[in-house]
Amino acid sequence: MAALQMSREWIGIQQFPPATQSKLLEILGKYKEEDVSSLTVLVMGKGGVGKSSTVNSVIGEKAAAVSTFQSEGLRPTFVSRSRSGFTLNIIDTPGLIEGGYVNDQAINLIKKFLLNTTIDVLLYVDRLDVYRVDDLDRQVISAITDAFGKEIWKKSALVLSHAQFSPPDGLNYDLFVTRRSDALLKVIRTGAQLKKHDMQGSSIPVILVENSGRCHKNESDEKILPDGTSWIPNLVKTITEISFNGNKAIHVDKKLVDGPNPNERGKRLIPLILAFQYLLIMKPLVRSIKSDVSRESKPAWELRDSGLASRRS
Amino acid sequence: MGDGTEEVVVRSHVEETKKLVEDEQVVKNKLVGSDEVKNDNEDEVFEEAFGSENDEQEEDSKRESLFEPDDDLRLEETLQSSKDEHDNFEEAIGDLDETSSAEGGVKDLKVDNSVVGESHREAEFDSMTSKINGDKVEAGADNCFGQIESSLDVVENTEKVNSNGSNLAAEDVNMKVDNSVVGESHREAEFDSVTSKMNGDKVEAGAENSYGQIESSLDVVENTEKVNSNGSNLADEDVNMQNGNTHSVLENGIVSPKNKEHSEKAEVISESVGPVEPWDDGIEVENWEERVDGIQTEQEVEVDEGTNTNHVEKDSVCIDNESEAKINGETGVDSTSSIVKSASSDNSLNDNIVVASAGSSSPLEKSSSEEQAETEGDSNGLKPEHDLASSPNSNMESTEVCSNSGSPEVTCREHETVQNANGGHDVQQSPQPNKELEKQESSSVNIDPEIAENSHVGRESEVVNSVSPTESRSNPAALPPARPAGLGRAAPLLEPAPRVPQQSRVTQQPRVNGNVSHNQPQQAEESTTAENDEHDETREKLQLIRVKFLRLAHRLGQTPHNVVVAQVLYRLGLAEQLRGRNGSRVGAFSFDRASAMAEQLEAAGQDPLDFSCTIMVLGKSGVGKSATINSIFDEVKFCTDAFQMGTKRVQDVEGFVQGIKVRVIDTPGLLPSWSDQAKNEKILNSVKAFIKKNPPDIVLYLDRLDMQSRDSGDMHLLRTISDVFGPSIWFNAIVGLTHAAAVPPDGPNGTASSYDMFVTQRSHVIQQAIREAAGDMRLMNPVSLVENHSACRTNRAGQRVLPNGQVWKPHLLLLSFASKILADANALLMLQANIPGRPVPARSKAPPLPYLLTSLLQSRPQPKLPEQQYDDEDDEDGFDESSDSDEESEYDQLPPFKRLTKDQMAKLSKSQKKQYLDEMEYREKLFMKKQIKEERKRRKMFKKFAAEIKDLPDGHSENVEESGGPASVPVPMPDLSLPASFDSDNPTHRYRYLDSSNQWLVRPVLETHGWDHDIGYEGVNAERLFVVNDKIPVSFSGQVTKDKKDANMQLEMASSVKHGEGKSTSLGFDMQTVGKELAYTLRNETRFNNFRKNKAAAGLSVTLLGDSVSAGLKVEDKLIASKWFRMVMSGGAMTSRGDVAYGGSLEAQLRDKDYPLGRFLTTLGLSVMDWHGDLAIGGNIQSQVPIGRSSNLIARANLNNRGAGQVSFRVNSSEQLQLAMVAVLPLFKKLLSYYSPQTQYGQ
């Protein structure tokens, strides 16, 4: 898939303020050291949380269509940008929630779209400024898990958009972020059915993102979060860390797309079941029938009839 | 007043501002939908203006901090982005920019006037006079943006420019009037009138009304401009623009008329852009007065007292118009008068000019009116004083002027959105330069808020459909009659009062340079006349409601000019008017009185307000329901937690907000996921149980503003709510958008979208969803914004202010109260409506009484025991048993008779034939008689037999029943005539059924007139006769038919009991489909058979059809006068819901002496039915006469009292058909020749 798409020169990187640019280039240099020529990032999440905006922010140009009130349609968007030999692929996906349901159609589309692609990093996007997690979140997580396997969570990061806001009730910002991300991570853990020890090695990192044009900027004109960090380099850096975190990247192959073939399931049990049936069911049945026959006691009229018949014949 | 001084001042101005302002056209677009380009222009203009101001400021040490350039720039930015934390108040944007430059003097006037018309009108006018360069004077008036419901906006901009010297003062008046009228069905009209330029002699006034949606409104814009130049050249221009009588019928029509005026040649070009036709009607441009004299040209704005903007005193900003007026030495009682004054003062000051224009604009009016209201208690009573800006000081110079000009808008803003009560507040603010700055800023920002409000208004109006007119004539003088186009609602209200006074004022004012204001006396007169209107009780009550509402509004800090308030008042007025039997206008006075009363009561502080409102809060989890409640009460009533479901159960809390008792029900959060709807239902059911006793007045549905649910994700939730509470829950629902301080997301091009756009879109989404969920497309729930965040900006009073300048809490409460008030009013009016006693049950639902009555009157046989099956008929047939024996033998005694064959017949002579036939007929008759006798005898035997059996001991009864029981029930065999040859398409061949010995008789129902290839069997019929206790027969018969379209069911059960001698009572139950519904009828009938010749029966019946119950009573009498004459009379009545139908019928029968044999039979039927006073009488007569041996003539006629009738003749003949034809044809022809009755004949 990736090969089909012409990757364009990453011009957008020049849009960033110099400070950001240098940080980004430094990070990209790391890839060069590792001799990795491409990186594929999959962005998923509910609708309207800012997936496309995040993609646009990272790329530095308006690569994915964003509209406030309309969903962008069902098709994933493949954005590929290369710079000095390194290719960054970002796959923006449509929102997974449609009308209160998880949109299975969208997930299937995404899976087909990703056929033969290797996902290095999954960004799960949600909003920071939402207070509650509900069942929908869990459903989305499990839908992703079902689609790509739970291994994918080991290559994932939780992205919280709309990070520039002031928490309610006088809560401390950091505290709020912690609690919000904890709540979401918990949902991810349960939704992905990750065991505790699965998470031991690598916890899912949390990245804060503010895509709005109103995002504060520091003196070097970088977009920063309320805590002062410049979030774009941070995001890329975290992505990089995930890609190098030692876990295997998720390769979407035919098998994953199609899911397990129901015809294959339990095939080996067939002879066993046959044997079981023969030994435990057939045998006793036959045996009991035979014993019945031998122990048969005929009613009087039947005896008479048979007697008559025999006599007549 | 002196001209000289004024001029001087002007010049100074000019010099100062010269640099900045050269040729500027200031265009203000405050339209939501307006073009971006225009906005840009505006921005630029603003910037420039600001810049100039700044410069001026710098020059003037006096104004210290008025404008900071940065701030200004930001302001502009904020305009677009609609908010930054920056703006303190982004409430109203009124901009007056005056820059007077160069020799002539350049003036930019921006006046934003928000006028609230009688019924809510808000108009903001920016009048900008741009420049006077030498000869050139440009005056621009922008009336940017207004919301009018059905109202008149009068904007008068009077500008005077006095230039000394030979130079002509030409004025360019740029008028932009944007009046957005929001009607009940949202109309918004925005007019931009731009008058561009006059160079030298040339004056161009361009008025563009760029955009408007008006329902029914009149906008009158009068710009009177006078230029007084001393010297040979005088350019006086008065441009009066009246956009009058604009009626836009279309609800959502967008009309953008453009009016360009050349002052000299007044050209009015009205372009109506937009789907609609709206109003072209009315733009009139009048050139008022042209006065060459350089002396004070008095600009009189009729309506608006041009609140003497020209006051040298700096304080004037703060000062009310009245005060200003006084200062001028004029009693400023009337706004108009004040204008005059101001004009004079203006002349001296260039600034004044500006001021004047500002004054002309409605805000000034308001201020003045407020003052009036205070003093007089006039309807005008805009209590809050906007005027701050109105009076510019000569000292202040242009910058000051600007600020001032800006202020009026600001004031307006506050008025509308914020607490009007704070009028004083505003005043205070204004004096301080900084504050003024803020105001200006705010003014610039304000555009958005207004828009928001507009949208509000529209919604509200829709919401409150039932409401009534408020006749508040807030802009008393100014309002030209607003003529409601389609609905005609406002017309009567407005017409009489305002117009006349206005004109009078207009005429008067000019002369009044001075001082005396006629207005008051006039108004007084009006009020008196209005008072003459009858008061009835309803009106009093309504008045009380109105007062109550005004008090509520007052407590919430809203003036009557608040959109919501005005709307409610309007609706109340409308209701009153509709109710008023005289149908005449309900005087504006009632509003005045109400507002005065309310004020008094509030001022007194006694007389507790008898009002409480219960609000139920619903919404998703985590949107801030509990937090909102806390905000409403300003204290923590419920604890909230950002991360957990804070509210676990339904709870309510009572408290007082501004002394108003409010009860709020908090509910647990609902869950959006489809899979959680069961939980939601549970929650909602608990809520339902909770509110059972004490239902809420208002439902507040909360959602987050900043969650863009682009899909219909909440549909399940909303549907669930609808399911549990019923769709009617949405009728009184208000949508609350929490987190309203959130910044709108970036637009498609990366720039921030406007806050108001965002709010509007978001609310549309929710409203649409609610509409769908409720299944009612007409719903338009009002939207209120909510922000609970502790970091939310607050105004000086500590109230939370939204980015658009709205103070949300009063607004939310006001909306709620308004709904409640209107509901109260409705209840009151409904109550009243019922008293007059017109029975107004929904007629559509009324049961078909005539139908029911007819079926009641029908006499039906009482079920009988099987063995008695044939008894009564005998009696009724009236055969004398005695005669039996004779006749029986008669036939047998006859000699044997042999029928002749056809051949033999042919051989007979005529006389022989006749004899033969006579003989045969006689024998046939006898034979038939004999058969009947035998039949009767057999039955009698049967009966006797049965009776004997019954007497037998039980042991035998078994046998008996085996043979006798079932057999005694005659089972009519289905008479199916099979076609001779087999036809597979014939249903009788295709479907057979068995005649079983089952006592249930079940038969298919064949519909022979069905479609081709139809099966024909459409139903099933079942019958059975039971015998309960051996005594009580119960018959049951039911039939169900169903075809492609509809299903019918008919079921009858009847039983009867004999008690006493000749008395029997039957009880029956019927079920049948009537229309689409099932009718259940229970009937009871008692017969008295005491006399042989007279049988009476009386019956009762009760029918339940749909949800209506009707009861009927009938009496029947059967008279058997003789063997050959009998008569049945019956009469009855049926009543339901106070509706009664009477009916009667008479049936008489005259028949042959030996009935079954003789063929002569005549029946006469009459029926009368009276329902709703229409009497229906129908009669029919049928006669059967034997003609000759083998023919029968049957004639039938019927006629009803509507003149419809039918006559038919039928001839039966067993003889040759031709003969019959011969007999009938002439008759037929004859009949045809007279008239053409329906004639039927056959053989």
Side-chain angles (χ1 to χ4, degrees), chain A residues 5-144:
Chain A
Q5 236 125 356
M6 287 298 294
S7 63
R8 297 216 311 248
E9 187 67 21
W10 191 353
I11 313 169
I13 201 169
Q14 291 160 4
Q15 306 280 328
F16 294 125
T20 306
Q21 273 190 48
S22 62
K23 282 181 202 163
L24 288 180
L25 291 178
E26 180 188 332
I27 294 167
L28 295 185
K30 198 175 169 193
Y31 282 98
K32 224 160 220 173
E33 288 171 15
E34 300 281 336
D35 203 16
V36 177
S37 68
S38 76
L39 178 73
T40 305
V41 178
L42 175 63
V43 182
M44 297 188 94
K46 292 193 288 189
V49 294
K51 295 181 298 297
S52 300
S53 302
T54 307
V55 171
N56 291 344
S57 296
V58 172
I59 295 291
E61 60 186 279
K62 195 170 171 299
V66 177
S67 62
T68 307
F69 287 98
Q70 285 172 345
S71 59
E72 52 283 339
L74 281 178
R75 292 205 60 81
T77 316
F78 188 91
V79 181
S80 180
R81 294 288 181 274
S82 65
R83 177 162 184 99
S84 59
F86 174 75
T87 309
L88 175 66
N89 302 318
I90 301 184
I91 298 151
D92 182 27
T93 62
L96 295 183
I97 293 294
E98 192 77 40
Y101 300 94
V102 172
N103 191 345
D104 289 326
Q105 192 195 358
I107 289 182
N108 285 333
L109 263 177
I110 294 169
K111 280 208 293 192
K112 287 209 185 94
F113 187 85
L114 292 177
L115 184 61
N116 292 331
T117 318
T118 302
I119 302 169
D120 295 309
V121 175
L122 166 70
L123 296 183
Y124 180 75
V125 186
D126 205 340
R127 291 177 66 147
L128 175 64
D129 60 348
V130 173
Y131 307 142
R132 310 278 160 85
V133 291
D134 55 37
D135 200 47
L136 277 181
D137 294 308
R138 200 188 49 71
Q139 289 176 21
V140 173
I141 302 284
S142 37
I144 295 176

Side-chain angles (χ1 to χ4, degrees), chain B residues 860-864 1000 1022-1028 1032-1039 1049-1056 1065-1072 1079-1085:
Chain B
R860 8 181 141 220
Q862 293 186 342
K864 304 188 173 94
W1000 279 96
E1023 287 176 18
R1024 166 137 196 209
L1025 183 68
F1026 304 87
V1027 177
V1028 178
I1032 304 172
V1034 177
S1035 74
F1036 170 90
S1037 72
Q1039 175 170 322
M1049 188 178 86
Q1050 234 171 341
L1051 188 145
E1052 271 187 47
M1053 287 180 67
S1055 72
S1056 72
T1065 298
S1066 71
L1067 190 68
F1069 176 71
D1070 290 355
M1071 233 165 92
Q1072 66 184 128
Y1080 306 90
T1081 307
L1082 192 65
R1083 57 191 158 68
N1084 171 18
E1085 186 175 311

Side-chain angles (χ1 to χ4, degrees), chain B residues 609-644:
Chain B
L609 193 50
D610 172 31
F611 183 83
S612 72
C613 187
T614 304
I615 303 174
M616 179 168 78
V617 185
L618 283 180
K620 274 185 292 192
S621 173
V623 296
K625 290 180 295 301
S626 301
T628 303
I629 294 172
N630 291 342
S631 297
I632 287 177
F633 292 113
D634 271 336
E635 59 182 293
V636 178
K637 296 275 191 184
F638 299 117
C639 60
T640 56
D641 186 331
F643 296 100
Q644 276 159 14

Side-chain angles (χ1 to χ4, degrees), chain B residues 714-959:
Chain B
D714 296 339
M715 273 315 289
H716 306 297
L717 185 61
L718 298 173
R719 286 238 165 84
T720 310
I721 295 177
S722 292
D723 289 346
V724 174
F725 293 103
S728 59
I729 191 173
W730 297 112
F731 296 164
N732 255 345
I734 296 174
V735 175
L737 294 175
T738 58
H739 295 74
V743 254
D746 291 351
N749 51 5
T751 59
S753 56
S754 105
Y755 179 81
D756 292 290
M757 285 288 280
F758 180 60
V759 171
T760 312
Q761 285 194 333
R762 183 82 179 98
S763 29
H764 276 323
V765 169
I766 295 186
Q767 284 170 334
Q768 184 59 32
I770 288 180
R771 255 175 251 157
E772 264 175 50
D776 187 347
M777 286 303 130
R778 291 164 305 172
L779 269 185
M780 193 72 167
N781 296 99
V783 175
S784 179
L785 299 173
V786 172
E787 176 55 66
N788 303 314
H789 201 291
S790 50
C792 180
R793 260 181 317 221
T794 55
N795 61 9
R796 283 174 188 77
Q799 291 169 306
R800 289 178 181 166
V801 179
L802 296 180
N804 62 358
Q806 192 187 43
V807 180
W808 63 266
K809 200 172 100 181
H811 186 260
L812 172 64
L813 291 174
L814 188 65
L815 272 182
S816 312
F817 297 159
S819 295
K820 173 93 193 284
I821 285 278
L822 290 175
D824 285 353
N826 276 348
L828 171 67
L829 291 177
M830 285 307 292
L831 193 74
Q832 293 285 331
N834 279 340
I835 287 177
R838 245 186 343 145
V840 201
R843 188 140 291 177
S844 58
K845 291 293 286 177
L849 287 185
Y851 173 78
L852 296 176
L853 184 58
T854 329
S855 75
L856 171 66
L857 288 183
Q858 222 171 26
S859 87
R860 8 181 141 220
Q862 293 186 342
K864 304 188 173 94
L865 286 173
E867 57 267 23
Q868 296 168 336
Q869 205 68 228
Y870 301 98
D871 288 356
D872 291 347
E873 288 178 22
D874 293 355
D875 299 336
E876 290 187 10
D877 288 348
F879 274 100
D880 290 335
E881 315 239 339
S882 57
S883 65
D884 280 357
S885 57
D886 306 340
E887 292 179 18
E888 193 171 355
S889 56
E890 200 173 337
Y891 179 75
D892 295 336
Q893 287 166 5
L894 286 177
F897 178 80
K898 188 179 173 228
R899 292 193 66 135
L900 298 176
T901 63
K902 230 177 189 172
D903 291 342
Q904 289 169 330
M905 283 276 288
K907 286 178 192 163
L908 292 176
S909 70
K910 206 175 174 186
S911 62
Q912 281 174 325
K913 200 187 254 176
K914 186 167 181 281
Q915 279 181 353
Y916 167 73
L917 288 178
D918 283 344
E919 177 66 20
M920 186 140 107
E921 193 183 355
Y922 177 64
R923 281 171 176 261
E924 274 174 359
K925 213 186 239 171
L926 287 185
F927 183 66
M928 278 172 63
K929 230 180 214 170
K930 183 187 161 198
Q931 274 182 327
I932 293 174
K933 291 269 150 59
E934 279 174 355
E935 172 72 18
R936 192 168 295 144
K937 216 155 115 191
R938 221 185 57 220
R939 280 189 213 138
K940 228 173 254 170
M941 293 268 300
F942 238 177
K943 201 167 154 191
K944 219 186 274 174
F945 186 50
E948 282 174 7
I949 286 171
K950 219 174 272 172
D951 295 340
L952 288 178
D954 288 345
H956 295 273
S957 65
E958 216 177 276
N959 284 335

Side-chain angles (χ1 to χ4, degrees), chain B residues 154 156 220 222 242 245 284 286 288 300 302-303 336 476-481 483 496-511 519 522 526:
Chain B
V154 176
E156 298 180 358
V220 176
E222 295 182 354
Q242 288 185 349
N245 311 332
E284 300 176 0
E286 296 177 358
W288 259 102
E300 296 175 359
E302 316 155 357
V303 177
T336 59
L479 308 179
R483 220 145 281 153
R499 244 280 151 84
V500 176
Q502 180 183 351
Q503 287 180 351
S504 63
R505 278 174 206 167
V506 172
T507 55
Q508 291 173 353
Q509 290 175 355
R511 17 172 160 132
N519 288 338
Q522 284 185 354
E526 287 176 17

Side-chain angles (χ1 to χ4, degrees), chain B residues 11-140:
Chain B
R11 286 191 177 179
S12 62
H13 255 309
V14 173
E15 292 175 356
E16 291 176 354
T17 56
K18 250 187 186 180
K19 334 147 188 180
L20 298 178
V21 183
E22 293 181 356
D23 292 338
E24 295 179 0
Q25 291 184 350
V26 178
V27 178
K28 253 203 177 182
N29 298 328
K30 284 187 178 182
L31 308 183
V32 176
S34 62
D35 300 342
E36 292 180 356
V37 178
K38 285 186 175 181
N39 287 331
D40 294 342
N41 292 338
E42 286 186 5
D43 295 342
E44 292 178 1
V45 173
F46 279 95
E47 289 180 358
E48 291 179 0
F50 282 111
S52 63
E53 292 174 357
N54 294 334
D55 294 343
E56 290 177 358
Q57 288 178 354
E58 292 175 356
E59 291 179 357
D60 295 341
S61 59
K62 291 178 182 177
R63 303 124 193 199
E64 307 149 358
S65 60
L66 283 182
F67 296 89
E68 297 177 2
D70 292 342
D71 290 344
D72 293 343
L73 293 178
R74 287 208 176 178
L75 277 180
E76 293 173 357
E77 291 180 358
T78 57
L79 277 180
Q80 287 184 351
S81 65
S82 80
K83 69 193 57 174
D84 282 353
E85 314 88 348
H86 238 334
D87 333 327
N88 311 338
F89 295 118
E90 311 145 341
E91 297 169 357
I93 302 171
D95 294 335
L96 288 178
D97 294 344
E98 289 186 354
T99 58
S100 62
S101 64
E103 311 95 2
V106 176
K107 299 174 183 178
D108 289 343
L109 293 177
K110 284 191 179 181
V111 178
D112 292 349
N113 302 328
S114 65
V115 178
V116 177
E118 295 188 22
S119 57
H120 311 248
R121 310 78 180 260
E122 297 181 358
E124 295 184 356
F125 307 141
D126 294 346
S127 63
M128 303 180 62
T129 58
S130 52
K131 308 162 187 179
I132 299 173
N133 292 329
D135 307 347
K136 191 177 178 181
V137 176
E138 292 184 2

Side-chain angles (χ1 to χ4, degrees), chain A residues 128 163-166 173-174 208 210 215-216 224-229:
Chain A
L128 175 64
Q164 177 177 306
F165 93 119
S166 50
Y173 181 80
D174 290 332
L208 297 180
E210 175 56 60
C215 184
H216 289 308
I224 56 166
L225 298 175
D227 60 4
T229 55

